[in-house]
Amino acid sequence: MTITSTNIIEETNYYGAHNYHPLPIVVSEANGVWVKDPEGNTYMDMLSAYSAVNQGHRHPKIIEALKNQADRVTLTSRAFHNELLGPWTKRIAKLTKKDKVLPMNTGVEAVETAIKAARRWAYQVKGVTENQAEIIAANGNFHGRSLNAISLSNDPDATKNYGPFVPGINKVNYGDINAIEKAITENTAAIILEPIQGEAGIILPPEGYLEQVRKLCTEKNVLFIADEVQTGFARTGKMFACEWEGVEPDIYVMGKALGGGVLPVSAIAANKAIMDVFTPGSHGSTFGGNPLACAVSMAAIDVIEEENLVTKSLESGKYFADKLRAINFEGIKEVRARGLFIGMEFDQPVRAICENLKDKGILCKETHVNTIRFAPPLVITKKEIDWALQRIEEVVTN
Ligand code: PMP
């Protein structure tokens, strides 16, 4: 039997759980901003695996690091030291200006780690009575799929029939500083926020919000956890999106592009006063900080720096978003953008537009029903953006 996209999709739907609603496209090869299906059709990737492929698919430098390390040692577990964990943690510590780094694999594991750190900090440093620690989260957030992470969520699709949830969580509206002030109690350990909400539809905070959160957290002795899993590593035109307001969180949560679109690599970074709450046996991961992940991740950071992806994201994002704003179609409500993190909101669901764009050679996905997210690999050129814009305009206005 010849292998076709149809066969692959049928088999996947038959044996695989239905926990996603993918576009009917199979990606079997990828390079830079371009991917191919088994029939040889070429598409431009405008999603970047939810911002995990900021450096472009199969960046040669990252693949080389992967291959070289695969020839030496791939996994040691944390039962032993490996040569790369020191250099890699140092690199991220310098990048985030924090004392220490704790490695994990996926974004949600790093979120879990940050919350565990904040709770321990509340008991061991702040002096909160055991089992009373509280976390404040923002409505509309997406922090991942674990029970802890969905306990932070107010999305019915993500939470329905999964209770009971983790207690001690207060939810406030994103962007409302007064609501945070009201929600803080003597037991509050931390506030966790995305500096730009991704899955909610690329929601930018009101100007000054992150700065106000930072100030409030300092005043009230509450930790500010920034979930930069999707916004980090140049996606928004800064290395981290918190830089848009010159803000330094107490805990950075990182993932996705930290693995260069090749491996799951995540981490938290924080100063000693927080990170020292972890002692041997208190937290860990078999795969976190493995030599293969460290090698790939260091190459991933090299690429961002050497190819000026922060500046590229900023400039290309402005160019792209301005042109999207200029498309003359009354159904477009708003284009929200920071760097190449772009949300184009319509007055109705956009699934059909995404499917039509696929037929024109552009892969993108709705985020939050009415918004299309355009988040191509940051290595995209102006010519490639123009190629996409022409097709986007055609689809949207027809
Ligand atoms: N936090 C944020 C802000 C995210 O966008 C995501 C994934 N979309 C996660 C956490 C979870 O990451 P992962 O899927 O790697 O667990």
Side-chain angles (χ1 to χ4, degrees):
M1 192 174 73
T2 43
I3 302 204
T4 63
S5 291
T6 311
N7 295 339
I8 294 166
I9 291 170
E10 272 172 13
E11 186 178 57
T12 307
N13 286 341
Y14 190 83
Y15 289 107
H18 289 180
N19 58 332
Y20 276 91
H21 184 36
L23 285 183
I25 166 95
V26 177
V27 173
S28 48
E29 278 180 57
N31 191 17
V33 300
W34 299 97
V35 303
K36 265 189 193 167
D37 69 10
E39 286 74 26
N41 300 307
T42 303
Y43 301 86
M44 181 184 280
D45 181 4
M46 276 279 171
L47 183 66
S48 307
Y50 301 93
S51 298
V53 192
N54 288 358
Q55 299 87 342
H57 288 279
R58 292 170 52 251
H59 192 289
K61 178 157 189 170
I62 304 174
I63 297 297
E64 193 192 343
L66 177 83
K67 287 181 175 165
N68 287 344
Q69 190 57 39
D71 282 341
R72 286 172 58 76
V73 58
T74 53
L75 186 61
T76 55
S77 84
R78 298 294 303 281
F80 313 115
H81 286 276
N82 76 63
E83 290 171 351
L84 294 180
L85 187 57
W88 179 73
T89 48
K90 181 177 175 186
R91 186 84 189 267
I92 296 172
K94 300 286 173 212
L95 200 64
T96 54
K97 300 191 200 80
K98 296 293 181 200
D99 298 334
K100 284 181 167 288
V101 174
L102 196 163
M104 283 281 139
N105 310 283
T106 61
V108 76
E109 287 174 296
V111 167
E112 290 282 331
T113 303
I115 289 173
K116 286 174 79 173
R119 283 191 173 188
R120 276 216 160 177
W121 173 87
Y123 301 130
Q124 296 177 5
V125 180
K126 185 170 172 172
V128 171
T129 309
E130 174 112 31
N131 288 327
Q132 299 301 311
E134 294 168 8
I135 304 283
I136 297 174
N139 287 327
N141 74 65
F142 186 89
H143 296 297
R145 300 294 193 175
S146 69
L147 261 175
N148 212 340
I150 66 167
S151 299
L152 300 167
S153 170
N154 69 323
D155 172 2
D157 288 337
T159 53
K160 188 173 169 218
N161 290 354
Y162 287 129
F165 297 103
V166 175
I169 292 167
N170 294 318
K171 292 171 205 170
V172 297
N173 282 338
Y174 189 66
D176 183 349
I177 191 72
N178 294 328
I180 296 184
E181 190 153 15
K182 276 193 208 134
I184 291 177
T185 73
E186 59 185 19
N187 294 330
T188 305
I191 298 171
I192 181 164
L193 289 176
E194 294 157 88
I196 297 172
Q197 286 192 329
E199 299 313 308
I202 320 294
I203 306 297
L204 309 181
E207 220 186 305
Y209 177 64
L210 300 176
E211 238 184 313
Q212 288 169 318
V213 173
R214 173 66 278 172
K215 195 161 162 269
L216 197 56
C217 284
T218 306
E219 273 168 26
K220 305 273 184 180
N221 197 22
V222 165
L223 300 181
F224 180 4
I225 303 171
D227 182 347
E228 294 259 14
V229 167
Q230 188 160 180
T231 50
F233 298 99
R235 171 52 60 193
T236 74
K238 304 274 183 196
M239 186 57 94
F240 296 104
C242 279
E243 291 168 35
W244 278 101
E245 295 196 20
V247 157
E248 288 186 19
D250 297 295
I251 304 180
Y252 281 98
V253 184
M254 296 160 273
K256 294 195 192 262
L258 181 58
V262 172
L263 289 176
V265 185
S266 71
I268 70 162
N271 281 341
K272 263 172 77 61
I274 298 164
M275 209 67 108
D276 283 353
V277 300
F278 291 120
T279 47
S282 62
H283 191 54
S285 157
T286 303
F287 290 93
N290 71 69
L292 198 60
C294 291
V296 160
S297 181
M298 276 200 282
I301 299 168
D302 283 345
V303 169
I304 293 174
E305 291 180 350
E306 287 164 10
E307 299 191 10
N308 299 316
L309 293 188
V310 170
T311 310
K312 263 196 191 140
S313 173
L314 192 67
E315 291 174 2
S316 305
K318 184 167 182 341
Y319 178 76
F320 195 177
D322 283 348
K323 296 263 177 178
L324 287 173
R325 287 190 187 102
I327 293 176
N328 188 12
F329 176 64
E330 71 222 13
I332 300 170
K333 276 182 71 179
E334 194 181 23
V335 175
R336 297 180 286 272
R338 287 264 161 86
L340 279 167
F341 201 41
I342 303 174
M344 191 176 195
E345 185 175 345
F346 290 75
D347 60 4
Q348 55 181 308
V350 292
R351 178 82 186 188
I353 299 180
C354 293
E355 291 190 0
N356 292 339
L357 281 170
K358 175 189 86 72
D359 294 338
K360 294 264 182 201
I362 293 176
L363 298 186
C364 59
K365 197 84 201 314
E366 71 274 14
T367 164
H368 214 266
V369 190
N370 288 2
T371 302
I372 304 179
R373 165 176 25 203
F374 292 113
L378 309 179
V379 293
I380 193 168
T381 61
K382 181 169 172 288
K383 210 168 138 204
E384 287 164 334
I385 293 174
D386 286 337
W387 183 94
L389 278 164
Q390 195 192 338
R391 282 155 182 82
I392 294 166
E393 179 155 15
E394 257 170 55
V395 167
V396 164
T397 55
N398 274 315

